Amino acid sequence: QVRLVESGGGLVQPGDSLSLSCAASGRTFSSYSMGWFRQAPGKERERVASHTWTGGITYQADYIDSVKGRFTVSRDNAKNTVDLQMNSLKPEDTAVYYCAAGRSPDSYDYWGQGTQVTVSS
């Protein structure tokens, strides 16, 4: 059974940093696209970052404009984990953050349960 479990959410102040981690089990995801999504109250879910296998041992990381330079996605295939380092957090980053895995960055088949990130003074 495939499972994705997020951890690391919480309440922080603007300007703080937070690291989210997604632990995958049930299969190996080294050739999958791993994505971090978020959904704020009253808003549609959006993909914040993706980390996609491009062949061999190379991966491509992509980000939405609003988090470029502040968020960094990375993975550890040995541990089957993918992390999202979030720096210089803003109130507008407040949302439930979800980890997802899929064969391509356009289609995600597996989802975690989500972890709440709240940025507030």
Side-chain angles (χ1 to χ4, degrees):
Q1 182 181 1
V2 174
R3 287 190 69 198
L4 300 178
V5 179
E6 303 94 338
S7 61
L11 172 63
V12 296
Q13 295 186 341
D16 284 352
S17 297
L18 202 60
S19 181
L20 305 182
S21 186
C22 173
S25 61
R27 69 168 302 140
T28 300
F29 289 95
S30 59
S31 64
Y32 275 59
S33 176
M34 302 299 294
W36 281 99
F37 292 75
R38 68 185 179 188
Q39 187 165 22
K43 294 187 177 181
E44 293 187 356
R45 184 175 63 194
E46 63 178 351
R47 190 178 69 195
V48 175
S50 62
H51 198 260
T52 303
W53 182 62
T54 56
I57 59 171
T58 61
Y59 294 85
Q60 177 175 324
D62 291 296
Y63 307 89
I64 56 172
D65 287 344
S66 61
V67 308
K68 284 181 180 178
R70 300 190 297 121
F71 290 13
T72 303
V73 61
S74 61
R75 76 167 77 194
D76 186 331
N77 287 330
K79 297 180 180 178
N80 228 16
T81 59
V82 59
D83 296 337
L84 184 68
Q85 176 65 39
M86 305 184 294
N87 298 327
S88 302
L89 283 162
K90 304 176 181 180
E92 51 263 43
D93 295 318
T94 296
V96 178
Y97 283 71
Y98 299 89
C99 170
R103 287 288 188 182
S104 82
D106 298 320
S107 177
Y108 288 88
D109 305 306
Y110 306 105
W111 292 84
Q113 83 290 348
T115 185
Q116 177 70 47
V117 172
T118 302
V119 185
S120 176
S121 55

